[in-house]
Structure formats: structure tokens, C-alpha cells
Amino acid sequence: MINLDISEAGLWTVTINRPEKANSLTSDMLEELVDIATRAQAARGLILTGAGKVFSAGADLDEARAGLATSTVWERLSAALAAVPCLKIAALNGTLAGGANGMALACDIRLAVPGAKVFYPVMKLGYLPQPSDAGRMAALIGPARTKMVLAAGQKIEAPEACAWGLVDRLVAPEDLMAQAQALLADSLAAKPEIASGILEMCQS
């Protein structure tokens, strides 16, 4: 349910492919994503996206009730993605919910279709978000807006998310993957040490 395509140019395209369940994530899927992110040290560019009309609804409900919602696998995944030295783009083909936010926040650039929503209802569900998720979100949009998402439980529609800086660009659904690939063109053509060096210099 996780698809990986590696192009000759070194572009890794990772697709969450469980559209019949809103791309909700099981423990096995999360472990597979951790494995891919760990191996992606060799990638020249990476796109993370979903199949269908939802990027990911977060944890599979049955597994969430059994403990997946508070598992350390979410933090391991976001840390592994953040450590990948190439340019990473989250191509949000639809709504991003719950723990799946960590994957997008660990990427360098977030594109979203106009109909997407972002929400992370941890307060309502009664557990804490992964620490790095709150920190990365606050670094992007500030503490007050982060509290709007995490503490007030607000669903942020894509245009507002883009105005806040939580999403970097809105893209029509039919253009989403082409736009992500276009943004990676210079990185794929550059020497790896130049590409990784520029990214390091951009860190806050």
C-alpha cells in the first residue's frame, strides 16, 4: 500500500496507496515508510503524495484504538524524512489529517490542491502530538496559529493554509505532480554536494 518509484535521474516518488480507506496508515505502512526514508539517503529528490482524493487521514482507526495513535513510529518517520539530504516535496493531493501531518512538515516544500484541508485533532482525541510536529509547525506559522490547529482543533482550508505558510503553493489537481517534478528539476541536475549544501544553508 506504499508505492515507490525511482527514476533514472534519482527522483524517488513515494505514494500512499490506500484510497479506499482515505490513505489511513497502518503500523506496517508506517514502518515501510520509515524504511524508504532511511534508504532515501541516496535520493536526488523526493516527492511524497497520496492516491485518490485524500493525502492521508492519519492513523487507521482500528490500529489507532490499539495504540498506533501514540506510537513512536510517527516520530521515527518524520525524523527519517527530515534527515534525507535532498529536496523533499509533499504533494498534497487532498486533505492532510492527524499524525500524517508529520510527514508533510518534515518535507522542504508543501504543495496542495485548492480543496485540501489540514487538521490535527489531538486535543479532541485526547493525546499529545509528536513533539517535532508541534515544533516544525510553529516554526512555519508561529505559535498562535499552531494553537489554532492543535489546541483549538480547527480545520484549515488550503487557501488559508497557504496564506499562513503552512502550504507553499496551491496547484490544480491535474498539475500537482508535474509542478512537483518541475520544482525538483534543478536539484536533480545539480551536483549532489551543491544540492545538499544549498539546503543546509537554508536551514533556520
Side-chain angles (χ1 to χ4, degrees), residues 149-175:
V149 178
L150 297 179
Q154 297 299 289
K155 290 185 179 180
I156 310 303
E157 296 189 3
E160 186 173 22
C162 192
W164 284 8
L166 190 56
V167 166
D168 299 296
R169 181 175 290 172
L170 300 183
V171 183
E174 63 272 19
D175 298 327

Side-chain angles (χ1 to χ4, degrees), residues 110-122:
R110 283 153 294 280
L111 308 179
V113 299
K117 296 180 178 66
V118 178
F119 63 103
Y120 201 157
V122 282

Side-chain angles (χ1 to χ4, degrees), residues 113-189:
V113 299
K117 296 180 178 66
V118 178
F119 63 103
Y120 201 157
V122 282
M123 184 74 81
K124 181 178 181 179
L125 295 174
Y127 58 86
L128 294 172
Q130 293 299 326
S132 67
D133 292 356
R136 289 190 179 107
M137 187 178 289
L140 288 172
I141 64 175
R145 286 170 171 170
T146 299
K147 291 169 189 173
M148 286 277 285
V149 178
L150 297 179
Q154 297 299 289
K155 290 185 179 180
I156 310 303
E157 296 189 3
E160 186 173 22
C162 192
W164 284 8
L166 190 56
V167 166
D168 299 296
R169 181 175 290 172
L170 300 183
V171 183
E174 63 272 19
D175 298 327
L176 182 64
M177 293 306 292
Q179 178 75 232
Q181 292 163 2
L183 289 172
L184 284 162
D186 286 353
S187 289
L188 294 173

Side-chain angles (χ1 to χ4, degrees), residues 6 22 24 26 35 44 63 67 78 82 108 112 117 154 165 173 176 184 188 199:
I6 303 176
S24 59
T26 65
D35 178 68
R44 301 290 306 280
E63 293 201 23
S78 60
D108 301 297
K117 296 180 178 66
Q154 297 299 289
L176 182 64
L184 284 162
L188 294 173
L199 288 173

Side-chain angles (χ1 to χ4, degrees), residues 59-127:
D60 175 87
L61 286 178
D62 290 336
E63 293 201 23
R65 295 186 191 102
L68 182 59
T70 56
S71 170
T72 60
V73 68
W74 302 95
E75 190 78 353
R76 289 193 288 113
L77 174 55
S78 60
L81 277 170
V84 175
C86 66
L87 184 62
K88 304 170 293 292
I89 297 177
L92 304 175
N93 55 296
T95 290
L96 169 65
N101 276 273
M103 292 183 283
L105 290 166
C107 290
D108 301 297
I109 295 171
R110 283 153 294 280
L111 308 179
V113 299
K117 296 180 178 66
V118 178
F119 63 103
Y120 201 157
V122 282
M123 184 74 81
K124 181 178 181 179
L125 295 174
Y127 58 86

